[in-house]
Amino acid sequence: MKVYNTLTRKKEDFTPIHGNLVTMYSCGPTVYSYAHVGNLRTYVFMDLIRRVLKYDGYKIKGVMNVTDVGHLLADGDDGEDKMQKAAREQQKTPWEIAAFYSDVFFKDIAALNIGKPEIIAKATDHIPEMIEFVQALLDKGYAYEISDGIYFDISRFPEYGKLSGQSIEEKEAGARVEENSEKRHPADFALWKKADKNHIMQWESPWGMGFPGWHIECSAMSRKYLGEVFDLHTGGIDAVPVHHENEIAQNEARAGKQTVNYWMHGEFMLVDGGKMSKSLGNVYTIAQLKEMGYDPLDFRFFCLNAHYRKKLNFTFEGMNAAKAGREKINAAVWAHKNGTETVPQEKLDEYKKQFVDAINDDLNIPLALGVLFSLIKEPRSKDVYKLILDFDKVFGLSLDKVTAPAEKAEKIDLPADVQKLVDERTEAKKNRDFAKADALRAQISEMGYEVKDTKDGLVVTKK
Ligand code: AMP
Ligand code: ZN
């Protein structure tokens, strides 16, 4: 397999340290809000790497963190903790906020057929490991204490900036004017912050009560579960200039050598060509897409159509095309499942070869989908069906579960009382009385029917 390594800026042969076992760390969610489609694109990308590795016969020891402390609003060392802000706004504890949004996150990724990494590591469960890591950096002279916390001294790590290709001088110029004049360099970052009494999440440490910096969690947890040196680290492209640069500084300062062999980053998802973020409020969640009549797998398929290193623009035209594309594939898969014709083995072997070449060329999933689209045009045959299911180990589109297209399209006669509620709901929606519409939907659901607003209008199905 060849992968593009952000660190070397080259496509390289992927060779794991431990033979057949791949050790992999993926930056996970900060659980202060719902994941939006941009966040989820990054996890679809993580899932595709995992699936290709498995397809190639590797076993994976994968770790994903759940950030439930330390991620400040500005992504740097300033601002309120995102968890604490959400807790304040929703009048809950940060722990309740974390439990709620983690649960939704894991349901969302399951709906997208994203395999859960083998180890899920919550930041708040690893405070001792983080304190130990900070102490080790202090002992080695890579960190220093000032009145508000412990900071990493980037001047002690001359390679700082190697992932993004920015020099320390450029970083310094880019860093915001600091209120904190005790820092030796503007780009020095917090490993541990001392907490005042208003800070809800805080722990005892050798430096008094406080809480960890965001970056130290990934260094401490990857080291704990994967060892000092591991194969692969993934995340979104926005993590490169700060979060991952800082992780590298922490890891390598401690280990005295390179600790991650391959860094892979997924490009951003945009909305109508612009930035999407929870703070800008222009984000869509899986629940919203479902409400609009899309299947979560329509979104997965939408992501599969763009290479992970290309920006992807989220639009509803794109989602509609993905939905239609999936319907086409599903119908063809059903036909092959029930097919009686034959396709020569050499032909199938050629498709398989093209598919394997595509996925192993830095995850060229769009090209692999092209192979699938050619394959499904072959005469209806069970051998084609088998090969489709083999490919779907990577695509993850649940092609083994397709049902007859005709069954889905079948119109059902609604009982009069259900029809009456459906009409009332349509009326309520027209009057923009969404609370009433939702209540009616729940009532209809209790009677065993599901109402969906799709792009083609209202659809009612029996549950
Ligand atoms: P967060 O939960 O905010 O820490 O973000 C979780 C992941 O989503 C990180 O790996 C980010 O790099 C990634 N991410 C955030 N916004 C986007 C976006 N618009 N497109 C793709 N990935 C994103
Ligand atoms: Zn991380």
Side-chain angles (χ1 to χ4, degrees):
M1 182 188 188
K2 278 200 182 318
V3 299
Y4 181 86
N5 188 349
T6 312
L7 190 59
T8 57
R9 294 166 189 78
K10 279 201 296 266
K11 264 194 209 175
E12 295 176 347
D13 281 321
F14 182 76
T15 316
I17 304 160
H18 308 287
N20 194 37
L21 176 74
V22 175
T23 44
M24 167 171 177
Y25 188 91
S26 304
C27 284
T30 306
V31 283
Y32 69 106
S33 180
Y34 296 102
H36 59 61
V37 287
N39 301 138
L40 292 166
R41 182 190 186 197
T42 295
Y43 303 111
V44 169
F45 153 64
M46 169 194 83
D47 181 59
L48 289 171
I49 304 171
R50 290 175 50 86
R51 284 174 179 268
V52 171
L53 289 169
K54 284 188 185 166
Y55 190 92
D56 285 350
Y58 291 110
K59 288 201 170 18
I60 302 175
K61 184 172 183 190
V63 179
M64 183 168 74
N65 61 297
V66 172
T67 300
D68 54 358
V69 68
H71 194 166
L72 305 187
L73 281 174
D75 264 20
D77 301 326
D78 306 316
E80 194 173 6
D81 188 310
K82 292 186 181 195
M83 300 301 304
Q84 182 154 318
K85 177 168 183 274
R88 187 167 46 72
E89 286 169 353
Q90 298 183 32
Q91 301 188 340
K92 299 225 166 71
T93 68
W95 282 274
E96 285 167 339
I97 295 287
F100 178 81
Y101 290 111
S102 298
D103 188 47
V104 178
F105 175 77
F106 286 109
K107 286 192 178 130
D108 281 350
I109 67 168
L112 289 170
N113 282 350
I114 295 171
K116 202 167 163 178
E118 289 64 28
I119 298 168
I120 302 295
K122 248 171 47 182
T124 49
D125 287 342
H126 296 80
I127 304 292
E129 287 86 351
M130 296 185 216
I131 291 175
E132 190 253 351
F133 207 115
V134 176
Q135 188 61 57
L137 292 175
L138 277 167
D139 293 345
K140 289 192 144 196
Y142 284 100
Y144 58 93
E145 181 171 0
I146 55 178
S147 54
D148 77 342
I150 313 293
Y151 283 78
F152 188 92
D153 185 346
I154 60 164
S155 70
R156 293 271 292 113
F157 186 70
E159 287 180 76
Y160 191 77
K162 66 180 171 179
L163 189 65
S164 56
Q166 271 187 305
S167 65
I168 290 186
E169 293 74 39
E170 281 170 309
K171 294 258 176 204
E172 275 186 37
R176 271 161 296 118
V177 181
E178 289 292 327
E179 291 158 24
N180 184 350
S181 57
E182 288 177 63
K183 265 165 63 167
R184 293 184 189 164
H185 287 267
D188 287 353
F189 57 91
L191 299 167
W192 182 266
K193 289 205 90 173
K194 297 179 187 175
D196 62 39
K197 62 178 183 329
N198 297 328
H199 205 272
I200 305 171
M201 292 174 129
Q202 46 178 298
W203 291 264
E204 264 175 46
S205 80
W207 320 288
M209 295 300 287
F211 60 97
W214 172 39
H215 320 295
I216 198 70
E217 75 172 78
C218 289
S219 288
M221 299 195 291
S222 61
R223 185 186 169 96
K224 170 170 179 171
Y225 294 107
L226 303 175
E228 197 164 62
V229 183
F230 57 96
D231 296 312
L232 176 59
H233 197 311
T234 72
I237 193 88
D238 59 325
V240 171
V242 179
H243 182 53
H244 288 167
E245 210 75 91
N246 293 355
E247 247 185 270
I248 289 179
Q250 294 163 158
N251 292 353
E252 298 194 2
R254 180 162 189 191
K257 60 183 171 193
Q258 188 176 327
T259 63
V260 177
N261 288 338
Y262 304 90
W263 285 88
M264 289 176 77
H265 292 97
E267 248 300 347
F268 248 44
M269 178 169 267
L270 310 173
V271 194
D272 295 327
K275 189 170 162 29
M276 152 183 341
S277 81
K278 288 168 195 168
S279 51
L280 290 177
N282 63 351
V283 298
Y284 297 96
T285 63
I286 287 298
Q288 284 168 326
L289 294 185
K290 274 164 82 173
E291 182 77 5
M292 292 163 120
Y294 297 105
D295 187 303
L297 293 183
D298 294 335
F299 176 71
R300 181 179 175 98
F301 184 58
F302 176 71
C303 292
L304 261 47
N305 279 280
H307 189 258
Y308 76 91
R309 283 196 288 122
K310 294 252 158 60
K311 289 192 176 62
L312 176 57
N313 200 18
F314 181 88
T315 60
F316 286 101
E317 293 88 84
M319 280 297 293
N320 291 343
K323 189 180 169 80
R326 227 167 55 81
E327 273 161 19
K328 196 167 145 199
I329 295 174
N330 286 352
V333 173
W334 179 259
H336 284 290
K337 185 176 180 178
N338 298 289
T340 51
E341 299 186 56
T342 51
V343 175
Q345 190 57 44
E346 308 82 76
K347 229 175 172 180
L348 297 176
D349 291 346
E350 181 53 30
Y351 281 116
K352 169 116 177 166
K353 183 179 177 311
Q354 287 175 9
F355 173 82
V356 169
D357 287 349
I359 59 171
N360 285 300
D361 181 14
D362 190 31
L363 245 54
N364 197 338
I365 305 296
L367 189 60
L369 277 179
V371 179
L372 176 73
F373 272 108
S374 303
L375 175 64
I376 60 177
K377 290 196 196 104
E378 290 290 339
R380 305 323 193 188
S381 135
K382 292 197 172 51
D383 294 326
V384 169
Y385 177 67
K386 269 194 227 147
L387 191 55
I388 292 171
L389 294 196
D390 177 64
F391 291 1
D392 198 43
K393 289 181 201 156
V394 171
F395 296 134
L397 294 169
S398 293
L399 297 181
D400 57 336
K401 299 200 182 79
V402 297
T403 50
E407 272 172 34
K408 273 209 222 150
E410 211 177 304
K411 273 234 171 286
I412 49 170
D413 285 323
L414 296 180
D417 50 350
V418 177
Q419 184 65 53
K420 185 165 165 287
L421 295 178
V422 170
D423 292 343
E424 279 179 38
R425 181 176 172 276
T426 308
E427 191 60 28
K429 279 199 70 169
K430 231 199 270 166
N431 299 331
R432 304 188 64 78
D433 187 350
F434 298 114
K436 182 166 178 196
D438 284 348
L440 284 162
R441 177 207 295 276
Q443 223 178 318
I444 296 165
S445 169
E446 269 168 31
M447 295 166 86
Y449 292 85
E450 197 175 5
V451 193
K452 272 193 189 149
D453 299 301
T454 74
K455 65 175 174 34
D456 304 319
L458 186 75
V459 175
V460 186
T461 51
K462 207 165 174 11
K463 289 209 286 191

